[in-house]
Each structure stands twice: as structure tokens, then as C-alpha cells.
Amino acid sequence: MRQRYSFSSRRTGIIVSTNKHKQTIPHIVKEVIRISDLVLEILDARFIAQTRNEEIENLITSQGKKLVFVVNKIDLVNMDDLKQSPEFKRLKPYILFSCKSITGVRRLRDKIKMEIKRLKITAPQAHVGIMGYPNTGKSSLINLLIGKKSAGTSPQAGFTKGMQKLRLTKGILVLDTPGVYPEYEESPLKEETAKKHAEIGIRNFDKVKDPDIIVARLMKEYPGVFESHYAIEANGDSEILLEELGKKKHLVKKGAEVDTDRTARLILKDWQEGKIKSKQ
Ligand SMILES: Nc1nc2c(ncn2[C@@H]2O[C@H](COP(=O)(O)OP(=O)(O)OP(=O)(O)O)[C@@H](O)[C@H]2O)c(=O)[nH]1
Ligand SMILES: [Mg+2]
């Protein structure tokens, strides 16, 4: 399927269409792929399939560029479950990483150096492109790699705007890029897309439309997980969970009615901050 792409902007909440000239992939992404000798695709360990971007992967490999998967945020998953999942088994080669528990930094640095050496680049500088969906931790990972806070990071998806070149070693430059996702995911009006973006943290809990519907969808997808996190017996019924949790947290409107919107956003906040584990 042909895909077009757009950047999301966490700062402004505006979606900037980069599709003015019927480009299928934004210029900046193509440019980074063109410049790069090696590309790292940063995936969220909780959502490997959802954060892979096939068209970009194809563009990378069709240009003969080496692609390495980096499975970030492994602090948020159970390692045994991760290693057994079919979507994980498909990744080759991969590096496990966590910016939070600082895991995989040396391994990734060594991998980059090894691949660059193997490519026998004659130019004075080798380039490593960092790509991935918004909010997967690209900028955080770069800061760890280069050992200083040079790339701006934020819990809000769409933070990085342009390309940023940072030095890893004397001969290796790392290129940070804005998070990118296929344009068919652009419309937040589609319930499926809205759910996916709330689930993987591209759309922040405070910006999500109909948070109660999203919570209901997530409860269906992850049976028992939310009830067990909040210790509330709801039988898979999101209305019961919202009602009981709202009372517990005193999230009420005038007249003591539970504020389901705020309660649902609280659940999405906990989810997006990784407090609710998809496997308890
Ligand atoms: N738990 C956990 N959180 C992480 C990890 N890596 C990054 N984060 C968090 O994820 C959020 C996004 O991190 P960024 O580094 O800004 O992500 P990005 O991919 O550069 O995002 P964009 O520039 O918006 O595309 C921040 O709140 C980080 O603290 C990780 O390994 N574990
Ligand atoms: Mg960034």
C-alpha cells in the first residue's frame, strides 16, 4: 500500500502535513536515509509491531543501507514474554535498550562502530540515522550514546522537529530525526487510530478525544490488566472501572457525579507513563 507521512507536533498539537508535493515519505526522512551509512530504527518494546514502519524500512534496505533495530524501553516489559513474542523474533539484527535503566548503551555503541568499520567508509565522517515513531525514545537514546544531553526530549510525542547532527566519535555523526508515522494514521477521528496513538503514547492523555472509549478498547485488548492494577473488580466493564476509580480518587463533578473524562485520562496517563504493565 502506498503510504504518505506526516509529523506530529507535541508542542503545538498541530499536525504538519509534509505532503504538499505528493511526497510519499517526507523530504527530511529521505534526506537522512540518503546521508546515512547505517540506520537505527527505534522501536518501543511494548509495541514492536505497531512501531515498525515498513515503507521506511524498505527505503533503507533498497538503498543498500544497513538497518539495525533497537528495542527500547525494555524496562517496561517482561523479558521472557518479549523474547517469545513472534514480532520480536522477526527482528534481525537487534539491540535491546533502555534509556531508563541504562541498558544496552555499550552494546549499541560497539555495534555502531563495528558496522561502520565493516562498511569501510572512505568519507571522513560516517553517518548514523536514528528513526522511528514519535515518542519511542530516539532523542533520549542519542543523549545516552553520546554521553551528554544534546538532543531535546519530552514525554510529549512530536518533540523533535528538524534533523540534528551530533558527534558520537571523531569519525561518526548521529542524526536525530522527528518521529514519523504513516499518513493513513493521521486522522485522529478514526477510532482504531485514536486507540493506537493513545496506546503507544503518540497522542498524549490530555489531548486524547473520548478517553472513556479508548479505555474501553484497551480493557478489551488487555483483559484484567486494568482491574488488577487498580484492584477494582469490573468484569471487563469500563463503566464500572471508571465509576469505582473515580470515586476512589475523588474525581467528581458537582453533585458528586463521577467525572469519567478525568478518570479515563488518569488511566491513560498511568498507561502512557508505563505504570500499568500489559502483563501483570
Ligand atoms: N520507561 C522508559 N521511558 C523512556 C525510555 N526511553 C525514553 N523514554 C521516555 O519516552 C518519552 C519520549 O522520549 P524522547 O527521547 O523525547 O522520544 P523521541 O522518540 O525523541 O520523541 P519525538 O522526538 O517526539 O519523536 C520521554 O518521556 C522519555 O523519558 C525507556 O527506555 N524507558
Ligand atoms: Mg525526539
Side-chain angles (χ1 to χ4, degrees), residues 10 72-73 75-76 98-100 133-140 153-160 178-179:
R10 283 195 281 197
N72 187 34
K73 308 200 185 185
D75 56 290
L76 298 176
S98 167
C99 298
K100 183 125 187 240
Y133 263 64
N135 213 31
T136 51
K138 299 175 292 300
S139 302
S140 306
T153 67
S154 159
Q156 299 270 324
F159 188 78
T160 304

Side-chain angles (χ1 to χ4, degrees), residues 88-100:
F88 175 76
K89 287 181 182 161
R90 272 181 224 122
L91 304 177
K92 225 175 175 181
Y94 69 85
I95 298 277
L96 297 171
F97 207 90
S98 167
C99 298
K100 183 125 187 240

Side-chain angles (χ1 to χ4, degrees), residues 113-245:
K113 287 183 193 162
M114 192 191 77
E115 293 294 348
I116 294 293
K117 205 168 170 186
R118 204 180 264 167
L119 291 169
K120 295 194 171 65
I121 292 152
T122 48
Q125 306 282 352
H127 292 85
V128 182
I130 311 290
M131 313 211 143
Y133 263 64
N135 213 31
T136 51
K138 299 175 292 300
S139 302
S140 306
L141 174 141
I142 290 176
N143 289 335
L144 274 176
L145 269 185
I146 64 173
K148 53 183 172 193
K149 287 211 164 104
S150 301
T153 67
S154 159
Q156 299 270 324
F159 188 78
T160 304
K161 297 295 182 301
M163 181 213 298
Q164 201 183 352
K165 279 192 188 184
L166 299 153
R167 184 165 297 284
L168 178 67
T169 66
K170 206 166 147 237
I172 303 177
L173 292 172
V174 174
L175 309 177
D176 194 10
T177 64
V180 64
Y181 53 82
E183 204 219 312
Y184 65 77
E185 288 187 9
E186 190 176 305
S187 168
L189 297 173
K190 280 187 213 138
E191 198 182 301
E192 189 53 39
T193 304
K195 188 217 121 212
K196 174 175 173 180
H197 286 188
E199 182 183 2
I200 68 178
I202 291 179
R203 186 157 285 261
N204 234 50
F205 65 90
D206 56 346
K207 304 237 165 57
V208 165
K209 271 195 194 137
D210 304 322
D212 49 338
I213 295 174
I214 308 273
V215 167
R217 297 276 311 249
L218 288 175
M219 281 177 75
K220 221 177 242 164
E221 190 159 330
Y222 301 95
V225 162
F226 294 85
E227 284 107 316
S228 116
H229 179 80
Y230 296 109
I232 290 171
E233 200 54 67
N235 250 333
D237 186 333
S238 62
E239 285 183 21
I240 299 177
L241 181 76
L242 290 173
E243 185 70 25
E244 293 304 314
L245 186 64

Side-chain angles (χ1 to χ4, degrees), residues 15-33:
I15 290 179
V16 186
S17 173
T18 50
N19 193 38
K20 289 193 185 82
H21 307 291
K22 285 222 176 304
Q23 280 176 197
T24 52
I25 299 177
H27 181 69
I28 193 168
V29 173
K30 282 187 183 160
E31 198 49 23
V32 170
I33 294 173

